[in-house]
Amino acid sequence: MPKPWARPRGPALPAAARRIIRLNNGFQLLFNLLWWMPVFYAYQRDAGLSEDQIFGIQSIYYVAFCLFEIPTGAVADRIGARNCLRAGAVVMTAANLTPVLAPSYSGFLVHFLAIAAGRSLTSGAASAYLYDGLRAEGADAHYLRAEGTARALGLAAKVLCWPLVGPLMLLFPQAPYVLSAASAAGSLGCALALPRLAPHGEVSVPVPRKRRRGGFLHDTRAALGVLRASPWLVLLMVQGVAVFTLSRICQVNLFQPVLLDHGIGESTHGSVLAAMTVAEAVASARPQWLSRRLSPVSWVSLLSVLLAAALAGLALGGPWTVVALLCAFAAVTGFVYPVQRKLINDAIPAGAPRATLLSVESMVDRGVCALAAVAAGAYLAAGRLDALLWHSAVITCVLVPVLHLALGRLRRTPPRAGDGTGDAAPRPPDEPVPLPVDEGAAPRA
């Protein structure tokens, strides 16, 4: 018998929605479990590649990722997000086997180009499938928790698996790439088990022949039309650029230079990275810890400023302070990613090519990140690490409030007329969709 003072729960999560969430968790965990990540630099160097070749491949990878984003997003909107996830898993499996079969410059180049293709096939499709799948089951209020949990599980798997890479390589040098291929094959199994969505999630009705011929161009034009008609969505994407760029540059490009600059030896880098990953995983799984007193837009702005403050602190603190700030930085990143993803999905109008628009966001993020990586390299080459951290923090603290004010003004602006099609242009809601208290919370009317 329920207690009279117990807080009432929302409607139970449908079985179909639970299945979608479980399979999405499995797909995200296995697809992104790259066993070779901690050792790929040393592996390529042992294979005879010079540093110029190694970093040159990385530059090509970023550019390729940007170029692949739009067409792969359009593919997802035409063939269905579920089929696109399957294709991405197949490509990722083959990509991880390439260095085993061809441990040379050309082999590693093909490897990273295929990684870019596989990840771009799923970057928008995975989020689009989860969002549409839960919405089709009337469980869209659970999306934020599901997105964060999937990310947290993937990060936790890395914490458990990455320490095993060294011992496994002593037994079998190619083990990181073989295990990565096996993980990608497992993600294919999850994608094959995903259920087909209702017609508004995946197109299941016949498409006229005329539209089918111009499908990719049609979806691209439709996506650009949505962006032109919805400055709210554009500003949300720009707001997310700060989050992605800061997190990527700090956790990938500046992680080791910052530790070495503070006298923290390479032997402990793995432990620090594991601690950061744990912090990010816990925060990713609990976005509902964020107070409902602030809107999601305000939380993204505030968390972006906190990321900038942590970067500035790295230039001032000692070794232990640096480690603590890196863990705090990772935790803030874990909080902000699922909130930003939900904001973007909520802002995309019904019927719009969702995967294409999510790919546009990813393309912008990675394009800016590629430019930031070039600038970071120039700072490091000049021995100006502290200046890089300070300048990054100052630029973020100036731009983020400006974007936040622009978003607030746009929310108060009356909707303008449509483009002649008879529909009014999309406008932001008066109150953004609130963060759920917990997974069982009922959606607000």
Side-chain angles (χ1 to χ4, degrees):
M1 179 177 179
K3 298 179 180 180
W5 59 83
R7 180 172 56 86
R9 305 284 291 182
L13 191 63
R18 288 198 299 270
R19 182 187 179 198
I20 289 173
I21 291 174
R22 286 197 299 268
L23 290 172
N24 177 72
N25 289 343
F27 179 87
Q28 296 284 11
L29 188 156
L30 294 170
F31 185 87
N32 295 301
L33 185 55
L34 303 177
W35 293 73
W36 48 262
M37 183 65 74
V39 296
F40 78 94
Y41 173 79
Y43 192 96
Q44 292 180 61
R45 191 171 56 183
D46 291 343
L49 274 67
S50 66
E51 291 194 358
D52 288 341
Q53 289 176 318
I54 294 172
F55 286 101
I57 290 175
Q58 291 298 301
S59 299
I60 295 172
Y61 165 77
Y62 276 118
V63 173
F65 209 132
C66 292
L67 294 177
F68 288 150
E69 278 293 348
I70 290 296
T72 53
V75 167
D77 284 317
R78 300 310 302 171
I79 68 174
R82 181 182 60 163
N83 291 328
C84 208
L85 295 179
R86 296 171 178 177
V90 171
V91 173
M92 186 66 79
T93 302
N96 286 318
L97 288 175
T98 303
V100 178
L101 303 175
S104 60
Y105 174 82
S106 58
F108 285 111
L109 178 60
V110 171
H111 162 70
F112 274 101
L113 288 175
I115 291 289
R119 292 180 69 110
S120 62
L121 278 167
T122 64
S123 63
S127 185
Y129 179 89
L130 178 62
Y131 189 86
D132 285 334
L134 294 181
R135 186 177 60 180
E137 299 298 332
D140 47 320
H142 300 270
Y143 169 77
L144 178 64
R145 178 74 175 270
E147 188 82 61
T149 299
R151 180 174 177 82
L153 291 174
L155 294 170
K158 293 174 183 178
V159 172
L160 295 175
C161 295
W162 280 350
L164 303 177
V165 171
L168 289 172
M169 288 186 70
L170 295 177
L171 301 175
F172 181 48
Q174 294 80 21
Y177 290 95
V178 174
L179 290 172
S180 298
S183 298
S187 72
L188 175 59
C190 293
L192 291 173
L194 287 171
R196 185 177 182 84
L197 300 185
H200 61 271
E202 286 187 10
V203 177
S204 59
V205 296
V207 180
R209 185 179 301 275
K210 181 178 180 181
R211 180 176 175 181
R212 190 180 297 129
R213 289 178 179 173
F216 299 123
L217 291 178
H218 178 278
D219 286 337
T220 301
R221 287 196 299 269
L224 294 177
V226 170
L227 293 175
R228 284 196 300 269
S230 180
W232 170 261
L233 177 58
V234 174
L235 286 177
L236 286 178
M237 289 183 174
V238 174
Q239 181 181 239
V241 168
V243 174
F244 184 88
T245 303
L246 286 177
S247 62
R248 185 74 180 178
I249 293 300
C250 179
Q251 294 177 299
V252 176
N253 299 91
L254 297 183
F255 167 70
Q256 287 188 307
V258 166
L259 292 181
L260 292 173
D261 187 65
H262 287 82
I264 302 175
E266 293 182 1
S267 60
T268 61
H269 289 188
S271 299
V272 176
L273 184 58
M276 291 172 61
T277 307
V278 170
E280 185 175 354
V282 171
S284 293
R286 292 293 181 269
Q288 68 275 10
W289 285 352
L290 301 176
S291 171
R292 293 163 65 97
R293 295 181 180 178
L294 294 179
S295 69
V297 173
S298 299
W299 269 119
V300 173
S301 298
L302 177 60
L303 293 173
S304 298
V305 173
L306 290 178
L307 289 176
L311 279 183
L314 293 176
L316 301 174
W320 286 106
T321 302
V322 165
V323 173
L325 284 173
L326 285 173
C327 291
F329 185 97
V332 174
T333 301
F335 278 128
V336 74
Y337 264 134
V339 177
Q340 171 65 16
R341 182 62 68 178
K342 186 177 189 300
L343 274 171
I344 294 295
N345 271 296
D346 285 340
I348 296 175
R354 185 176 301 277
T356 302
L357 287 166
L358 292 175
S359 290
V360 170
E361 182 202 20
S362 180
M363 182 184 70
V364 174
D365 288 343
R366 295 180 190 280
V368 174
C369 185
L371 296 176
V374 173
Y379 272 92
L380 291 175
R384 303 180 62 200
L385 175 60
D386 287 352
L388 171 60
L389 296 173
W390 276 108
H391 291 168
S392 300
V394 170
I395 291 173
T396 302
C397 290
V398 170
L399 292 181
V400 168
V402 172
L403 285 171
H404 186 75
L405 291 174
L407 284 165
R409 174 173 292 185
L410 185 61
R411 191 165 62 235
R412 294 189 296 269
T413 302
R416 59 184 174 81
D419 58 0
T421 61
D423 297 326
R427 64 158 296 177
D430 293 333
E431 288 296 334
V433 178
L435 300 176
V437 175
D438 54 39
E439 193 176 16
R444 289 189 172 183

